[in-house]
Amino acid sequence: SEKVVQEMLELAQPGISRVQGLIDDLVSLEQLKSSYEIHAEPVDIGELIYEVSAVARARFALRSLSLNVEVDGGSPPLLLDRKWVARAIHNYLDNAMKYTPDGAQIRLRAFTREATLHIEVADDGAGLPPEVQAHLFERFYRANASGNIPGMGLGLAMVRSIAEAHGGAVYVASTPGAGSTFGISLPIRPASAEAV
């Protein structure tokens, strides 16, 4: 009957949405690897961090997670792809939220060191052993294989692709029992150096 068909469609919808999300993420990864979709423009990194964190705070509040943001002041606009760098920060925050207990604090900070912009997300989660850290940025790798953490294991792989498409890199520092810090390092290309 029509009612049964409708109920079956409603049951299937979350699965369809997950598959569509997986396809979208895989397409995005391929675009990034080819650098077709990198469109650099002058970006105020402080403003970008503020925008991403403002969106994240609402989701964090549902878990009583607090988000502490620190941005080095006075950084000039940098040539970055605004959309993709925002996606990288979002993916790091999403990852931290998945693995951090309710009520904890997550820290998002941006700073420059020796012509490199660093964006880091630190959490108070369980931390990760070295053998896990070595695989975190691989496609479909899941640090928690029990299946109770949502996602397809593409979020961190996408951050790596975004960093590499900008000529940068990703890194992680973690100690079991003492949380994790995930970072992205991007070579600083001042917007003032852009060809006129």
Side-chain angles (χ1 to χ4, degrees), residues 2 8 33 143 145 168 172 191 196:
E2 190 175 322
M8 287 177 69
K33 285 182 73 177
V172 61
V196 178

Side-chain angles (χ1 to χ4, degrees), residues 15-183:
I16 293 168
S17 297
R18 276 198 300 274
V19 171
Q20 185 60 54
L22 174 63
I23 292 168
D24 291 346
D25 283 351
L26 286 169
V27 169
S28 295
L29 280 168
E30 290 308 314
Q31 290 174 335
L32 282 164
K33 285 182 73 177
S34 62
S35 295
Y36 289 151
E37 290 296 308
I38 291 294
H39 301 294
E41 60 179 327
V43 173
D44 180 323
I45 196 65
E47 182 183 292
L48 181 62
I49 293 276
Y50 173 79
E51 288 176 7
V52 175
S53 63
V55 172
R57 282 184 202 279
R59 295 180 63 215
F60 278 37
L62 297 173
R63 296 260 320 277
S64 299
L65 293 167
S66 61
L67 180 60
N68 181 35
V69 179
E70 297 174 30
V71 180
D72 274 2
S75 177
L78 306 176
L79 283 178
L80 300 168
D81 187 305
R82 185 183 191 88
K83 177 187 75 172
W84 285 121
V85 173
R87 178 67 183 268
I89 300 167
H90 168 81
N91 284 8
Y92 268 167
L93 288 171
D94 191 53
N95 185 70
M97 187 172 70
K98 287 177 183 176
Y99 293 99
T100 303
D102 290 0
Q105 182 184 83
I106 291 170
R107 296 165 297 285
L108 167 60
R109 65 188 195 124
F111 58 95
T112 56
R113 294 283 185 278
E114 298 174 2
T116 302
L117 169 68
H118 293 270
I119 301 169
E120 294 184 345
V121 173
D123 64 58
D124 294 325
L128 299 158
E131 61 270 21
V132 167
Q133 294 177 41
H135 300 287
L136 284 171
F137 296 96
E138 296 172 5
R139 292 186 188 192
F140 303 114
Y141 182 78
R142 302 291 305 280
N144 182 315
S146 65
N148 62 339
I149 300 290
M152 296 286 185
L154 285 172
L156 296 183
M158 188 172 290
V159 177
R160 184 180 68 181
S161 292
I162 292 167
E164 290 175 352
H166 283 83
V170 290
Y171 56 93
V172 61
S174 182
T175 304
S180 304
T181 297
F182 285 83

Side-chain angles (χ1 to χ4, degrees), residues 3-15:
K3 187 169 184 286
V4 171
V5 171
Q6 184 62 37
E7 286 178 0
M8 287 177 69
L9 284 172
E10 286 174 7
L11 284 170
Q13 192 58 49

